[in-house]
Amino acid sequence: MSTDRGIAAPPSGASARLVDRGDWRRFVAPAVVVVAAGGILLAGGLTTAAFLTVDNFLIIVRAASITGIVALGMTFVTISGNFFSLSVEQTAALSSIAFAESFAHGWGLLAALGCSFCAALVTGAVQGGMVAAGLNPIVTTLGVGAALYGLAAVVTNNEVVNFDTTPAVTWIGTGRPLGIPTQSWAFAIFTLLATLVLLRTRFGRETYLVGANRNAARASGISITRTTILAFTLASLAAGIAGVFTAAQITQAPLTQFSGLNIDVIAAVLVGGTALQGGEGSALRSALGAVFIALLANFMLLRDFTYGERTLVTGLIVVVATSAFHLLRTRGTR
Amino acid sequence: MNVNVANLLPRVALAIGVWVVFALTDENYRRVDNFFPVFEGFALIGLVALGLSVTMLAGELDLSVGSVAAVAGIIAVKQSGLGLVPCVALAVLCTAAFGAAQGYAIARLGINSLVFTIGTLIAISGLAYVMSDEQSVLIDLNDLGLSDTITNRLWIFSPFSLTTIAAFVLVGAFLSVTRWGREIYAIGGGRNEARAAGVATVRPIVIAFTLSAGLAGLGGALASLKSGAAQPGGYDSVLLAGVTAALVGGVSLYGGRGDVLGVAVGVLTLQFLLSGLSSRGAEFYVGSLATGGLLLVVLLVELIVDRRQVLRYMRRPAFSAGEP
């Protein structure tokens, strides 16, 4: 099925099958994630005293928020049938540097936000344009990521950019309205927004159709180019937002601050069960995936797992989850 | 060998062009001695690019090569007491066995290799950190002679770069002369047509992923022994370099097209560029910018030159009778 197209071909859905909305299988992936998260909560509560505390939950929620916000953006790329982007961590770093540099130059908050979001929008639109022209999304974003990293290092002389914070920036970075971190508010709001966009807007429905069946989408007059560019722009914008939040939180922009974000975000989207061949998935699933990955990471951290052990477990879960979801999907249509 | 001369010539010209640009402006760069570091870089990236190319010829891509190279390096350095050949052979056997299992899983599940190998990239990278206790694994002081053996200089070559050249010859012969090698081209060029013509589809994919993991393992093992230390995160950048070199060398991401001679030229082009930049005192991140930039330029050129092939893939009828 999907292998018939080779890696370069934009997947046009599992043999032109459109998503059957009444299919019970589409509830399996989210249900598995919820059950697994419940299992971790149970295991954590029974074995680790520090796990089921309010403080620890705030830590988990904040950790999930940054990954989650970017995963929401990546969901558009994945649903539109373009697998995933390997440049979101570099985009986030570039945006945080743009934010910090603006402040270091004495510009105001609005100019700083404008600069960082512009940087993200441009990189996203360019990548979307290249992929829409027929280039492989993974290899394109791999190259763009390396170039962006080099560019950011050249601009900053590979040094950490520090800036003097203002009350507004402090609030963005560390504020806690109603006791919940601003990042988590943003994560919740963006989950809602992304869900609404995917289900209730024309662009959202076009994204599903382009991912499910590229040719049918083209035949019905949908612009594949526009949908692809918008999807990559949203992913980049989400990375930019993550970059701004992080820069505001730590009042500096180290180049390597986001290293590992690409992998975390892809893991969140894959574990959430958004179909990698496109056309199927939801913002809520990616959000759930991000929370699951954060829960798991936090649990393993409290159980004194090393970095290597945590990465190994996460990787194995990604392999098993994607294989299982893939089998679930293809068995139903064979 | 089925070498496409018209395809190869512009790539050779590019390689020479890059060399000339740096040679004209840098006296040290044009000395024959400078080919030694170029071929040392060629040795590692060449092995990775060679393996990646085989998966690309089959219409797949192995994203896990960097993690696999790191694990191979740790195995080889930890077992250096066995002697040079046994410890390298052990590392290559382990990684090739993993590659075979990975290829079998991809072929049997019918899953997209990009999706599967991004998962194994994460898992194997974790394994590398676990095996090394999260730190550099240093070679046993008694075995430091191994490093000398690998770096032993023979004119502009070393045993390391000669091993890589031998690997290119062997893999090139395998791909163009043997039936199993031709199957890899066949399933990459048109999988449904190949299947209809009776070509096995599992075996070529298993072979391709075995080669990519085994060759990355060979590169990681030799490079780690050479430097006397294996770092668990030390080979994260070889994927970018390998893919770039393969694409510069004319291996098509659309599968079925390319040859090892082109890959060798591609790796040399990249190494001429990187060594030229570093001989001018450029920082390491300029190399990242240059490699990423080169990759994007090659992609765009391929897009323009091969517009027809790209369009054929983009507009591929979804309901064609050939589809299973």
Side-chain angles (χ1 to χ4, degrees):
Chain A
M1 301 202 37
S2 53
T3 48
D4 294 330
R5 318 198 153 267
I7 43 145
S12 59
S15 285
R17 176 178 54 90
L18 279 174
V19 182
D20 175 8
R21 299 236 153 243
D23 191 349
W24 58 272
R25 286 181 192 82
R26 76 193 186 96
F27 297 110
V28 169
V32 167
V33 176
V34 169
V35 169
I40 294 176
L41 282 177
L42 196 66
L46 290 177
T47 58
T48 316
F51 189 71
L52 282 181
T53 62
V54 176
D55 280 349
N56 192 45
F57 265 104
L58 286 176
I59 292 173
I60 293 173
V61 168
R62 179 174 275 185
S65 300
I66 292 296
T67 311
I69 289 171
V70 185
L72 288 171
M74 187 85 90
T75 307
F76 286 88
V77 171
T78 310
I79 291 179
S80 71
N82 291 301
F83 303 116
F84 38 80
S85 160
L86 282 177
S87 66
V88 287
E89 87 183 34
Q90 290 84 354
T91 306
L94 190 74
S95 291
S96 73
I97 285 167
F99 188 77
E101 286 279 1
S102 305
F103 269 100
H105 283 84
W107 303 346
L109 177 62
L110 280 181
L113 288 175
C115 282
S116 31
F117 291 151
C118 271
L121 286 176
V122 169
T123 54
V126 167
Q127 291 173 80
M130 292 175 72
V131 172
L135 291 178
N136 179 299
I138 309 283
V139 175
T140 306
T141 55
L142 180 69
V144 169
L148 284 181
Y149 175 82
L151 194 68
V154 169
V155 169
T156 59
N157 276 323
N158 206 24
E159 284 165 9
V160 177
V161 186
N162 289 292
F163 64 95
D164 293 327
T165 183
T166 67
V169 173
T170 310
W171 184 82
I172 291 176
T174 56
R176 290 190 168 203
L178 303 179
I180 296 168
T182 44
Q183 289 89 339
S184 309
W185 280 108
F187 179 33
I189 293 167
F190 288 141
T191 305
L192 194 67
L193 274 179
T195 306
L196 285 178
V197 167
L198 277 171
L199 296 181
R200 292 269 176 267
T201 69
R202 189 184 151 142
F203 161 68
R205 286 192 291 259
E206 287 180 354
T207 308
Y208 276 108
L209 185 55
V210 167
N213 190 329
R214 192 167 285 260
N215 295 301
R218 188 180 290 110
S220 40
I222 294 172
S223 166
I224 312 265
T225 309
R226 194 189 60 204
T227 313
T228 307
I229 291 178
L230 268 176
F232 274 89
T233 308
L234 282 177
S236 254
L237 190 62
I241 292 169
V244 167
F245 268 125
T246 307
Q249 187 186 345
I250 60 178
T251 70
Q252 59 182 26
L255 192 56
T256 53
Q257 176 66 30
F258 297 97
S259 97
L261 184 66
N262 280 340
I263 296 296
D264 287 348
V265 169
I266 292 168
V269 173
L270 289 179
V271 170
T274 289
L276 254 293
Q277 71 264 38
E280 196 185 335
S282 76
L284 198 60
R285 284 192 198 175
S286 298
L288 269 177
V291 171
F292 174 76
I293 294 285
L295 259 180
L296 183 71
N298 181 277
F299 173 66
M300 290 193 288
L301 206 58
L302 290 180
R303 301 296 300 169
D304 286 332
F305 278 50
T306 62
Y307 168 80
E309 287 160 352
R310 296 200 303 274
T311 313
L312 180 58
V313 170
T314 310
L316 288 178
I317 287 178
V318 170
V319 172
V320 171
T322 45
S323 305
F325 292 154
H326 174 80
L327 281 181
L328 199 65
R329 246 170 235 120
T330 50
R331 281 292 133 85
T333 54
R334 262 175 195 166
Chain B
M1 275 180 41
N2 54 339
V3 174
N4 185 341
V5 177
N7 196 25
L8 193 62
L9 271 182
R11 302 176 197 281
V12 174
L14 176 69
I16 295 174
V18 171
W19 184 82
V20 167
V21 166
F22 285 105
L24 283 178
T25 51
D26 188 339
E27 204 164 295
N28 284 325
Y29 187 81
R30 59 175 177 259
R31 288 170 50 195
V32 175
D33 272 359
N34 191 51
F35 280 100
F36 180 71
V38 166
F39 275 107
E40 285 303 281
F42 174 89
L44 172 63
I45 301 304
L47 286 172
V48 173
L50 181 62
L52 277 175
S53 307
V54 182
T55 61
M56 285 161 73
L57 287 176
E60 308 281 341
L61 188 62
D62 183 358
L63 298 175
S64 65
V65 285
S67 307
V68 168
V71 166
I74 294 165
I75 294 175
V77 169
K78 280 199 166 179
Q79 302 300 327
S80 58
L82 297 173
L84 178 59
V85 174
C87 78
V88 173
L90 180 68
V92 172
L93 268 180
C94 291
T95 52
F98 164 75
Q102 172 159 277
Y104 186 74
I106 289 169
R108 288 312 300 252
L109 287 171
I111 199 169
N112 187 293
S113 56
L114 292 167
V115 178
F116 195 85
T117 55
I118 193 89
T120 54
L121 176 154
I122 305 172
I124 301 297
S125 153
L127 183 65
Y129 279 91
V130 170
M131 286 172 66
S132 64
D133 284 328
E134 324 253 312
Q135 55 199 349
S136 290
V137 183
L138 298 178
I139 197 167
D140 194 286
L141 281 181
N142 298 322
D143 301 327
L144 269 179
L146 291 189
S147 303
D148 297 338
T149 312
I150 295 171
T151 47
N152 199 2
R153 194 165 164 172
L154 314 155
W155 190 45
I156 56 172
F157 299 109
S158 70
F160 189 7
S161 53
L162 289 175
T163 306
T164 303
I165 292 169
F168 269 86
V169 173
L170 287 176
V171 173
F174 169 75
L175 285 176
S176 54
V177 176
T178 69
R179 179 191 161 88
W180 288 5
R182 295 204 154 272
E183 282 179 352
I184 292 176
Y185 276 97
I187 63 161
R191 191 156 302 176
N192 295 328
E193 292 85 336
R195 186 182 285 148
V199 175
T201 47
V202 172
R203 182 171 56 210
I205 293 182
V206 171
I207 292 175
F209 281 88
T210 307
L211 280 176
S212 79
L215 289 167
L218 179 61
L222 287 172
S224 299
L225 287 173
K226 176 185 145 188
S227 62
Q231 271 141 5
Y235 298 101
D236 289 351
S237 64
V238 295
L239 173 67
L240 173 73
V243 171
T244 306
L247 287 173
V248 173
V251 178
S252 171
L253 265 177
Y254 304 94
R257 204 161 45 82
D259 52 68
V260 297
L261 210 55
V263 178
V265 173
V267 182
L268 271 183
T269 311
L270 183 65
Q271 289 306 321
F272 283 150
L273 179 66
L274 292 180
S275 69
L277 288 172
S278 71
S279 83
R280 293 182 160 202
E283 297 280 353
F284 70 94
Y285 49 77
V286 178
S288 168
L289 181 59
T291 311
L294 182 63
L295 173 55
L296 295 178
V297 168
V298 174
L299 282 176
L300 288 174
V301 169
E302 183 172 22
L303 188 64
I304 294 163
V305 174
D306 282 350
R307 190 69 200 149
R308 242 182 348 175
Q309 181 163 16
V310 175
L311 281 180
R312 208 183 65 197
Y313 259 92
M314 300 271 295
R315 302 251 153 116
R316 211 167 164 160
F319 296 98
S320 73
E323 291 269 337

